Short mmCIF file of all heavy atoms in Angstrom, two decimals:
data_model
loop_
_atom_site.label_atom_id
_atom_site.label_comp_id
_atom_site.label_asym_id
_atom_site.label_seq_id
_atom_site.Cartn_x
_atom_site.Cartn_y
_atom_site.Cartn_z
N MET C 171 0.87 -1.15 0.00
CA MET C 171 -0.02 -0.04 0.04
C MET C 171 0.86 1.17 0.03
O MET C 171 1.81 1.27 0.72
CB MET C 171 -0.83 -0.03 1.27
CG MET C 171 -2.29 0.15 0.92
SD MET C 171 -3.45 0.44 2.23
CE MET C 171 -3.10 -0.63 3.58
N SER C 172 0.50 2.23 -0.76
CA SER C 172 1.28 3.41 -0.79
C SER C 172 0.33 4.60 -0.56
O SER C 172 -0.86 4.60 -0.84
CB SER C 172 1.93 3.70 -2.16
OG SER C 172 0.96 3.87 -3.10
N MET C 173 0.87 5.61 0.13
CA MET C 173 0.09 6.75 0.46
C MET C 173 0.37 7.93 -0.51
O MET C 173 1.56 8.25 -0.74
CB MET C 173 0.32 7.22 1.88
CG MET C 173 -0.55 8.37 2.25
SD MET C 173 -0.19 9.15 3.87
CE MET C 173 0.02 7.84 4.98
N VAL C 174 -0.58 8.38 -1.22
CA VAL C 174 -0.43 9.45 -2.18
C VAL C 174 -1.01 10.70 -1.64
O VAL C 174 -2.13 10.82 -1.12
CB VAL C 174 -1.10 9.10 -3.50
CG1 VAL C 174 -0.96 10.24 -4.49
CG2 VAL C 174 -0.69 7.80 -4.13
N THR C 175 -0.16 11.78 -1.54
CA THR C 175 -0.62 13.07 -1.04
C THR C 175 -0.23 14.03 -2.21
O THR C 175 0.65 13.98 -2.91
CB THR C 175 0.17 13.46 0.18
OG1 THR C 175 1.58 13.52 -0.09
CG2 THR C 175 -0.13 12.50 1.28
N THR C 176 -1.18 15.02 -2.21
CA THR C 176 -1.00 16.10 -3.24
C THR C 176 -0.75 17.34 -2.46
O THR C 176 -1.27 17.67 -1.42
CB THR C 176 -2.24 16.21 -4.14
OG1 THR C 176 -3.34 16.55 -3.30
CG2 THR C 176 -2.60 14.97 -4.91
N ALA C 177 0.16 18.12 -3.11
CA ALA C 177 0.44 19.47 -2.59
C ALA C 177 -0.73 20.37 -2.86
O ALA C 177 -1.33 20.34 -3.83
CB ALA C 177 1.68 20.12 -3.17
N GLY C 178 -0.99 21.20 -1.89
CA GLY C 178 -2.06 22.24 -1.98
C GLY C 178 -2.73 22.54 -0.68
O GLY C 178 -2.17 22.17 0.30
N LEU C 179 -3.82 23.16 -0.83
CA LEU C 179 -4.59 23.63 0.36
C LEU C 179 -5.42 22.43 0.92
O LEU C 179 -5.88 21.63 0.09
CB LEU C 179 -5.52 24.79 -0.01
CG LEU C 179 -4.81 26.11 -0.42
CD1 LEU C 179 -5.74 27.09 -0.95
CD2 LEU C 179 -3.97 26.68 0.76
N PRO C 180 -5.60 22.50 2.21
CA PRO C 180 -6.53 21.46 2.77
C PRO C 180 -7.92 21.71 2.28
O PRO C 180 -8.34 22.80 1.79
CB PRO C 180 -6.47 21.67 4.27
CG PRO C 180 -5.87 23.00 4.49
CD PRO C 180 -5.10 23.31 3.26
N GLN C 181 -8.74 20.63 2.41
CA GLN C 181 -10.13 20.69 1.79
C GLN C 181 -11.07 21.63 2.68
O GLN C 181 -12.10 21.90 2.30
CB GLN C 181 -10.69 19.34 1.80
CG GLN C 181 -10.77 18.61 3.06
CD GLN C 181 -11.17 17.14 2.89
OE1 GLN C 181 -11.69 16.78 1.87
NE2 GLN C 181 -11.11 16.39 3.98
N TYR C 182 -10.55 22.01 3.83
CA TYR C 182 -11.38 22.74 4.75
C TYR C 182 -11.02 24.33 4.62
O TYR C 182 -11.38 25.11 5.51
CB TYR C 182 -11.14 22.33 6.09
CG TYR C 182 -11.49 20.85 6.34
CD1 TYR C 182 -10.58 19.89 6.62
CD2 TYR C 182 -12.85 20.43 6.24
CE1 TYR C 182 -10.83 18.61 6.82
CE2 TYR C 182 -13.12 19.04 6.37
CZ TYR C 182 -12.22 18.16 6.61
OH TYR C 182 -12.50 16.85 6.81
N GLY C 183 -10.32 24.73 3.63
CA GLY C 183 -10.03 26.15 3.41
C GLY C 183 -11.23 27.01 3.35
O GLY C 183 -11.25 28.10 4.00
N ALA C 184 -12.28 26.57 2.75
CA ALA C 184 -13.47 27.37 2.60
C ALA C 184 -14.16 27.55 3.98
O ALA C 184 -14.70 28.64 4.32
CB ALA C 184 -14.49 26.79 1.65
N SER C 185 -14.12 26.55 4.86
CA SER C 185 -14.73 26.67 6.14
C SER C 185 -13.99 27.57 7.06
O SER C 185 -14.54 28.22 7.93
CB SER C 185 -14.90 25.28 6.76
OG SER C 185 -13.54 24.70 6.97
N VAL C 186 -12.65 27.65 6.80
CA VAL C 186 -11.81 28.66 7.54
C VAL C 186 -12.33 30.09 7.19
O VAL C 186 -12.44 30.90 8.09
CB VAL C 186 -10.35 28.44 7.28
CG1 VAL C 186 -9.48 29.55 7.78
CG2 VAL C 186 -9.91 27.11 7.90
N VAL C 187 -12.46 30.32 5.95
CA VAL C 187 -12.84 31.69 5.49
C VAL C 187 -14.28 32.03 5.98
O VAL C 187 -14.42 33.03 6.54
CB VAL C 187 -12.74 31.73 3.98
CG1 VAL C 187 -13.38 33.05 3.41
CG2 VAL C 187 -11.36 31.55 3.48
N ILE C 188 -15.19 31.06 5.96
CA ILE C 188 -16.52 31.33 6.43
C ILE C 188 -16.52 31.50 8.04
O ILE C 188 -17.23 32.36 8.46
CB ILE C 188 -17.45 30.03 6.00
CG1 ILE C 188 -17.61 30.14 4.50
CG2 ILE C 188 -18.70 30.20 6.70
CD1 ILE C 188 -18.30 28.93 3.94
N GLY C 189 -15.71 30.71 8.60
CA GLY C 189 -15.63 30.88 10.14
C GLY C 189 -15.02 32.23 10.46
O GLY C 189 -15.46 32.85 11.38
N LEU C 190 -13.98 32.63 9.82
CA LEU C 190 -13.42 33.94 10.00
C LEU C 190 -14.41 35.12 9.78
O LEU C 190 -14.52 35.98 10.59
CB LEU C 190 -12.12 34.15 9.14
CG LEU C 190 -11.46 35.48 9.30
CD1 LEU C 190 -10.87 35.56 10.78
CD2 LEU C 190 -10.30 35.56 8.38
N ILE C 191 -15.11 35.03 8.74
CA ILE C 191 -16.15 36.01 8.48
C ILE C 191 -17.23 36.02 9.53
O ILE C 191 -17.62 37.05 9.99
CB ILE C 191 -16.74 35.84 7.03
CG1 ILE C 191 -15.69 36.18 5.97
CG2 ILE C 191 -17.93 36.75 6.89
CD1 ILE C 191 -16.05 35.70 4.59
N GLY C 192 -17.61 34.85 9.91
CA GLY C 192 -18.63 34.73 10.98
C GLY C 192 -18.21 35.25 12.32
O GLY C 192 -18.96 36.06 13.02
N PHE C 193 -17.04 34.92 12.70
CA PHE C 193 -16.51 35.34 14.07
C PHE C 193 -16.23 36.92 14.01
O PHE C 193 -16.47 37.66 15.01
CB PHE C 193 -15.25 34.61 14.54
CG PHE C 193 -15.74 33.31 15.13
CD1 PHE C 193 -15.28 32.09 14.54
CD2 PHE C 193 -16.34 33.23 16.32
CE1 PHE C 193 -15.64 30.90 15.06
CE2 PHE C 193 -16.68 32.07 16.87
CZ PHE C 193 -16.29 30.85 16.27
N LEU C 194 -15.74 37.44 12.90
CA LEU C 194 -15.52 38.85 12.79
C LEU C 194 -16.87 39.57 12.84
O LEU C 194 -16.97 40.66 13.39
CB LEU C 194 -14.68 39.26 11.58
CG LEU C 194 -13.23 38.93 11.60
CD1 LEU C 194 -12.62 39.14 10.18
CD2 LEU C 194 -12.53 39.71 12.66
N SER C 195 -17.88 39.12 12.19
CA SER C 195 -19.23 39.63 12.25
C SER C 195 -19.80 39.64 13.67
O SER C 195 -20.39 40.59 14.12
CB SER C 195 -20.16 38.99 11.32
OG SER C 195 -19.65 39.06 10.02
N LEU C 196 -19.58 38.45 14.29
CA LEU C 196 -20.15 38.34 15.59
C LEU C 196 -19.39 39.27 16.61
O LEU C 196 -20.11 39.93 17.47
CB LEU C 196 -19.89 36.91 16.16
CG LEU C 196 -20.37 36.45 17.57
CD1 LEU C 196 -21.88 36.54 17.62
CD2 LEU C 196 -19.88 35.09 17.92
N LYS C 197 -18.15 39.52 16.43
CA LYS C 197 -17.38 40.41 17.37
C LYS C 197 -17.90 41.80 17.11
O LYS C 197 -18.09 42.56 18.04
CB LYS C 197 -15.92 40.38 17.01
CG LYS C 197 -15.10 41.19 17.88
CD LYS C 197 -13.56 41.03 17.71
CE LYS C 197 -12.82 41.95 18.70
NZ LYS C 197 -11.43 41.79 18.47
N GLU C 198 -18.16 42.21 15.80
CA GLU C 198 -18.70 43.50 15.57
C GLU C 198 -20.04 43.79 16.16
O GLU C 198 -20.34 44.81 16.73
CB GLU C 198 -18.72 43.71 14.02
CG GLU C 198 -19.10 45.08 13.62
CD GLU C 198 -17.97 46.13 13.94
OE1 GLU C 198 -16.79 45.77 13.99
OE2 GLU C 198 -18.38 47.25 14.07
N VAL C 199 -20.93 42.79 16.04
CA VAL C 199 -22.27 42.94 16.59
C VAL C 199 -22.34 42.93 18.12
O VAL C 199 -22.92 43.84 18.70
CB VAL C 199 -23.24 41.77 16.06
CG1 VAL C 199 -24.44 41.74 16.84
CG2 VAL C 199 -23.45 41.87 14.61
N LEU C 200 -21.49 42.11 18.70
CA LEU C 200 -21.46 42.01 20.20
C LEU C 200 -20.77 43.21 20.79
O LEU C 200 -21.04 43.64 21.90
CB LEU C 200 -20.78 40.68 20.65
CG LEU C 200 -21.60 39.41 20.42
CD1 LEU C 200 -20.77 38.22 20.89
CD2 LEU C 200 -22.87 39.52 21.28
N SER C 201 -19.86 43.83 20.12
CA SER C 201 -19.20 44.98 20.58
C SER C 201 -20.10 46.19 20.83
O SER C 201 -19.87 47.06 21.60
CB SER C 201 -17.98 45.40 19.71
OG SER C 201 -18.45 45.88 18.44
N ALA C 202 -21.26 46.20 20.09
CA ALA C 202 -22.29 47.25 20.30
C ALA C 202 -23.29 46.94 21.34
O ALA C 202 -24.18 47.68 21.59
CB ALA C 202 -22.92 47.52 18.91
N SER C 203 -23.26 45.73 21.91
CA SER C 203 -24.32 45.38 22.81
C SER C 203 -23.80 45.59 24.22
O SER C 203 -22.65 45.94 24.50
CB SER C 203 -24.68 43.88 22.66
OG SER C 203 -23.61 42.99 23.24
N GLN C 204 -24.71 45.35 25.12
CA GLN C 204 -24.41 45.55 26.61
C GLN C 204 -23.65 44.42 27.22
O GLN C 204 -23.20 44.46 28.28
CB GLN C 204 -25.68 45.83 27.40
CG GLN C 204 -26.38 47.09 26.99
CD GLN C 204 -27.63 47.28 27.80
OE1 GLN C 204 -28.08 46.36 28.52
NE2 GLN C 204 -28.34 48.44 27.63
N LYS C 205 -23.66 43.24 26.50
CA LYS C 205 -22.87 42.06 26.93
C LYS C 205 -21.44 42.13 26.71
O LYS C 205 -20.73 41.22 27.12
CB LYS C 205 -23.52 40.83 26.16
CG LYS C 205 -24.96 40.61 26.31
CD LYS C 205 -25.33 40.05 27.70
CE LYS C 205 -26.73 39.77 27.72
NZ LYS C 205 -27.26 39.44 29.02
N TRP C 206 -21.00 43.15 26.10
CA TRP C 206 -19.57 43.23 25.64
C TRP C 206 -18.68 43.54 26.96
O TRP C 206 -18.98 44.40 27.85
CB TRP C 206 -19.35 44.32 24.76
CG TRP C 206 -17.93 44.46 24.08
CD1 TRP C 206 -16.99 45.35 24.39
CD2 TRP C 206 -17.42 43.58 23.18
NE1 TRP C 206 -15.83 45.11 23.64
CE2 TRP C 206 -16.07 43.92 22.96
CE3 TRP C 206 -17.84 42.40 22.62
CZ2 TRP C 206 -15.22 43.31 22.09
CZ3 TRP C 206 -17.03 41.70 21.71
CH2 TRP C 206 -15.68 42.18 21.52
N ASN C 207 -17.58 42.69 27.15
CA ASN C 207 -16.66 43.03 28.13
C ASN C 207 -15.29 42.42 27.73
O ASN C 207 -15.13 41.84 26.73
CB ASN C 207 -17.04 42.37 29.55
CG ASN C 207 -17.31 40.84 29.40
OD1 ASN C 207 -16.70 40.14 28.60
ND2 ASN C 207 -18.24 40.34 30.23
N ASN C 208 -14.25 42.58 28.65
CA ASN C 208 -12.85 42.19 28.26
C ASN C 208 -12.78 40.71 28.04
O ASN C 208 -12.00 40.23 27.23
CB ASN C 208 -11.91 42.67 29.26
CG ASN C 208 -11.30 44.07 29.01
OD1 ASN C 208 -11.43 44.48 27.88
ND2 ASN C 208 -10.71 44.66 29.98
N SER C 209 -13.48 39.92 28.84
CA SER C 209 -13.49 38.53 28.72
C SER C 209 -14.01 37.99 27.46
O SER C 209 -13.33 37.14 26.78
CB SER C 209 -14.29 37.90 29.88
OG SER C 209 -14.32 36.46 29.80
N LEU C 210 -15.12 38.58 27.02
CA LEU C 210 -15.64 38.22 25.69
C LEU C 210 -14.67 38.57 24.52
O LEU C 210 -14.45 37.91 23.62
CB LEU C 210 -17.05 38.79 25.53
CG LEU C 210 -17.82 38.50 24.26
CD1 LEU C 210 -17.98 36.95 24.23
CD2 LEU C 210 -19.11 39.22 24.28
N ASN C 211 -14.14 39.83 24.70
CA ASN C 211 -13.20 40.26 23.69
C ASN C 211 -11.99 39.30 23.59
O ASN C 211 -11.58 38.96 22.41
CB ASN C 211 -12.73 41.69 24.06
CG ASN C 211 -11.84 42.22 22.92
OD1 ASN C 211 -12.05 41.99 21.76
ND2 ASN C 211 -10.97 43.19 23.40
N SER C 212 -11.42 38.92 24.70
CA SER C 212 -10.28 38.02 24.70
C SER C 212 -10.63 36.67 24.03
O SER C 212 -9.83 36.09 23.31
CB SER C 212 -9.74 37.81 26.11
OG SER C 212 -9.26 38.95 26.57
N SER C 213 -11.84 36.15 24.38
CA SER C 213 -12.28 34.88 23.89
C SER C 213 -12.42 34.90 22.41
O SER C 213 -12.00 34.03 21.71
CB SER C 213 -13.59 34.45 24.50
OG SER C 213 -13.47 34.29 25.86
N LEU C 214 -13.03 36.04 21.90
CA LEU C 214 -13.23 36.06 20.49
C LEU C 214 -11.85 36.30 19.73
O LEU C 214 -11.63 35.77 18.62
CB LEU C 214 -14.16 37.20 20.07
CG LEU C 214 -15.56 36.96 20.35
CD1 LEU C 214 -16.44 38.18 20.09
CD2 LEU C 214 -16.15 35.76 19.52
N ASN C 215 -10.94 37.06 20.28
CA ASN C 215 -9.61 37.23 19.78
C ASN C 215 -8.87 35.86 19.69
O ASN C 215 -8.06 35.60 18.73
CB ASN C 215 -8.79 38.26 20.56
CG ASN C 215 -9.19 39.61 20.26
OD1 ASN C 215 -9.95 39.93 19.33
ND2 ASN C 215 -8.87 40.56 21.17
N MET C 216 -9.03 35.07 20.69
CA MET C 216 -8.43 33.68 20.65
C MET C 216 -8.87 32.90 19.50
O MET C 216 -8.13 31.91 19.06
CB MET C 216 -8.59 32.97 21.96
CG MET C 216 -7.70 33.53 23.14
SD MET C 216 -7.64 32.56 24.57
CE MET C 216 -9.31 32.14 24.95
N VAL C 217 -10.15 33.06 19.09
CA VAL C 217 -10.65 32.21 17.99
C VAL C 217 -10.21 32.96 16.60
O VAL C 217 -9.94 32.25 15.63
CB VAL C 217 -12.22 32.18 18.13
CG1 VAL C 217 -12.80 31.56 16.88
CG2 VAL C 217 -12.55 31.34 19.39
N ILE C 218 -10.30 34.22 16.66
CA ILE C 218 -10.10 34.95 15.34
C ILE C 218 -8.70 34.87 14.88
O ILE C 218 -8.38 34.76 13.72
CB ILE C 218 -10.57 36.38 15.46
CG1 ILE C 218 -12.11 36.40 15.63
CG2 ILE C 218 -10.11 37.28 14.32
CD1 ILE C 218 -12.69 37.76 15.89
N LEU C 219 -7.74 35.03 15.77
CA LEU C 219 -6.25 35.16 15.46
C LEU C 219 -5.80 33.87 14.69
O LEU C 219 -5.21 34.01 13.63
CB LEU C 219 -5.43 35.35 16.66
CG LEU C 219 -3.95 35.65 16.44
CD1 LEU C 219 -3.67 36.86 15.49
CD2 LEU C 219 -3.11 35.74 17.70
N PRO C 220 -6.11 32.65 15.17
CA PRO C 220 -5.61 31.49 14.36
C PRO C 220 -6.27 31.39 12.97
O PRO C 220 -5.65 31.02 12.05
CB PRO C 220 -6.01 30.25 15.27
CG PRO C 220 -6.14 30.77 16.63
CD PRO C 220 -6.55 32.24 16.52
N LEU C 221 -7.57 31.74 12.93
CA LEU C 221 -8.26 31.73 11.68
C LEU C 221 -7.66 32.76 10.76
O LEU C 221 -7.55 32.55 9.54
CB LEU C 221 -9.73 32.01 11.89
CG LEU C 221 -10.56 30.92 12.54
CD1 LEU C 221 -11.96 31.32 12.82
CD2 LEU C 221 -10.48 29.70 11.65
N LEU C 222 -7.33 33.91 11.34
CA LEU C 222 -6.65 35.00 10.51
C LEU C 222 -5.26 34.54 9.94
O LEU C 222 -4.95 34.79 8.78
CB LEU C 222 -6.54 36.20 11.32
CG LEU C 222 -6.17 37.51 10.59
CD1 LEU C 222 -7.24 37.90 9.53
CD2 LEU C 222 -6.03 38.71 11.47
N LEU C 223 -4.56 33.83 10.72
CA LEU C 223 -3.25 33.31 10.32
C LEU C 223 -3.43 32.30 9.16
O LEU C 223 -2.62 32.26 8.23
CB LEU C 223 -2.43 32.76 11.50
CG LEU C 223 -1.92 33.73 12.49
CD1 LEU C 223 -1.36 33.03 13.71
CD2 LEU C 223 -1.03 34.74 11.89
N VAL C 224 -4.35 31.40 9.33
CA VAL C 224 -4.62 30.40 8.35
C VAL C 224 -5.09 31.03 7.09
O VAL C 224 -4.76 30.67 5.90
CB VAL C 224 -5.66 29.37 8.80
CG1 VAL C 224 -6.10 28.36 7.64
CG2 VAL C 224 -5.04 28.53 9.92
N PHE C 225 -6.00 32.11 7.18
CA PHE C 225 -6.42 32.78 6.01
C PHE C 225 -5.24 33.53 5.32
O PHE C 225 -5.19 33.43 3.99
CB PHE C 225 -7.47 33.88 6.41
CG PHE C 225 -7.94 34.72 5.29
CD1 PHE C 225 -8.80 34.20 4.32
CD2 PHE C 225 -7.52 36.05 5.24
CE1 PHE C 225 -9.27 35.04 3.34
CE2 PHE C 225 -7.98 36.84 4.17
CZ PHE C 225 -8.83 36.35 3.22
N ALA C 226 -4.28 34.09 6.02
CA ALA C 226 -3.15 34.74 5.44
C ALA C 226 -2.33 33.60 4.74
O ALA C 226 -1.83 33.87 3.57
CB ALA C 226 -2.28 35.38 6.51
N GLY C 227 -2.27 32.37 5.32
CA GLY C 227 -1.49 31.36 4.63
C GLY C 227 -2.17 30.98 3.29
O GLY C 227 -1.45 30.68 2.38
N ILE C 228 -3.48 30.83 3.36
CA ILE C 228 -4.19 30.54 2.13
C ILE C 228 -4.00 31.58 1.01
O ILE C 228 -3.71 31.21 -0.12
CB ILE C 228 -5.77 30.35 2.37
CG1 ILE C 228 -5.98 29.18 3.20
CG2 ILE C 228 -6.46 30.32 1.16
CD1 ILE C 228 -7.37 29.05 3.87
N VAL C 229 -4.03 32.84 1.41
CA VAL C 229 -3.80 33.92 0.43
C VAL C 229 -2.42 33.80 -0.11
O VAL C 229 -2.18 33.91 -1.32
CB VAL C 229 -4.10 35.31 1.01
CG1 VAL C 229 -3.62 36.40 0.12
CG2 VAL C 229 -5.60 35.37 1.46
N LEU C 230 -1.37 33.65 0.74
CA LEU C 230 -0.08 33.56 0.27
C LEU C 230 0.22 32.35 -0.68
O LEU C 230 0.89 32.41 -1.64
CB LEU C 230 0.98 33.44 1.45
CG LEU C 230 1.13 34.76 2.22
CD1 LEU C 230 1.94 34.60 3.50
CD2 LEU C 230 1.64 35.88 1.37
N PHE C 231 -0.39 31.18 -0.31
CA PHE C 231 -0.31 30.06 -1.09
C PHE C 231 -0.96 30.28 -2.49
O PHE C 231 -0.43 29.91 -3.49
CB PHE C 231 -1.02 28.84 -0.41
CG PHE C 231 -0.96 27.61 -1.32
CD1 PHE C 231 0.24 26.87 -1.35
CD2 PHE C 231 -2.00 27.17 -2.03
CE1 PHE C 231 0.35 25.69 -2.09
CE2 PHE C 231 -1.94 26.07 -2.81
CZ PHE C 231 -0.78 25.29 -2.86
N LYS C 232 -2.08 30.87 -2.51
CA LYS C 232 -2.71 31.26 -3.85
C LYS C 232 -1.97 32.15 -4.69
O LYS C 232 -1.86 31.96 -5.93
CB LYS C 232 -4.17 31.77 -3.63
CG LYS C 232 -5.14 30.72 -3.09
CD LYS C 232 -5.51 29.77 -4.22
CE LYS C 232 -6.69 28.96 -3.79
NZ LYS C 232 -7.01 27.98 -4.84
N ILE C 233 -1.30 33.12 -4.08
CA ILE C 233 -0.52 34.10 -4.69
C ILE C 233 0.78 33.36 -5.29
O ILE C 233 1.13 33.63 -6.47
CB ILE C 233 -0.10 35.29 -3.85
CG1 ILE C 233 -1.32 36.16 -3.60
CG2 ILE C 233 1.06 36.12 -4.55
CD1 ILE C 233 -1.03 37.26 -2.62
N SER C 234 1.33 32.48 -4.50
CA SER C 234 2.62 31.77 -4.99
C SER C 234 2.22 30.80 -6.08
O SER C 234 3.03 30.48 -6.89
CB SER C 234 3.30 31.14 -3.78
OG SER C 234 2.51 30.00 -3.36
N GLU C 235 1.00 30.32 -6.05
CA GLU C 235 0.58 29.42 -7.03
C GLU C 235 0.39 30.09 -8.40
O GLU C 235 0.66 29.50 -9.46
CB GLU C 235 -0.80 28.81 -6.62
CG GLU C 235 -1.19 27.50 -7.31
CD GLU C 235 -2.40 26.95 -6.76
OE1 GLU C 235 -3.49 27.71 -6.69
OE2 GLU C 235 -2.45 25.80 -6.25
N ILE C 236 0.02 31.36 -8.40
CA ILE C 236 -0.16 32.14 -9.64
C ILE C 236 1.16 32.60 -10.20
O ILE C 236 1.36 32.46 -11.40
CB ILE C 236 -1.08 33.34 -9.36
CG1 ILE C 236 -2.46 32.96 -9.04
CG2 ILE C 236 -1.04 34.33 -10.44
CD1 ILE C 236 -3.34 34.08 -8.49
N ILE C 237 2.13 32.89 -9.26
CA ILE C 237 3.44 33.40 -9.73
C ILE C 237 4.23 32.22 -10.13
O ILE C 237 4.69 31.60 -10.83
CB ILE C 237 4.08 34.15 -8.67
CG1 ILE C 237 3.33 35.42 -8.32
CG2 ILE C 237 5.61 34.50 -8.99
CD1 ILE C 237 3.92 36.19 -7.11
#
């Protein structure tokens, strides 16, 4: 048995982009509500930052694929 892998983006790239957009939207909406506090801000930042890094990686990969 041999394992064949292909170079490229993982199949979940679209879900990362959708998740990032969703969490950024949620942060924007909640920041205007009375429920907003430092704890909620930190929690959302902990989710958004890794998604943002993966999104940047996807963009860089796509750019390098074109060049």
Side-chain angles (χ1 to χ4, degrees):
M171 234 190 314
S172 68
M173 185 186 311
V174 177
T175 59
T176 58
L179 294 174
Q181 60 185 349
Y182 302 112
S185 61
V186 168
V187 174
I188 292 170
L190 180 61
I191 292 169
F193 280 112
L194 286 172
S195 301
L196 182 65
K197 184 175 180 178
E198 187 67 29
V199 168
L200 287 176
S201 67
S203 76
Q204 294 178 356
K205 304 285 185 188
W206 188 251
N207 58 27
N208 269 345
S209 177
L210 185 58
N211 186 30
S212 296
S213 297
L214 286 173
N215 284 340
M216 285 192 311
V217 173
I218 291 171
L219 185 61
L221 289 174
L222 192 59
L223 292 175
V224 172
F225 176 73
I228 290 170
V229 170
L230 289 175
F231 180 79
K232 287 291 192 181
I233 290 172
S234 69
E235 199 175 55
I236 293 170
I237 295 175

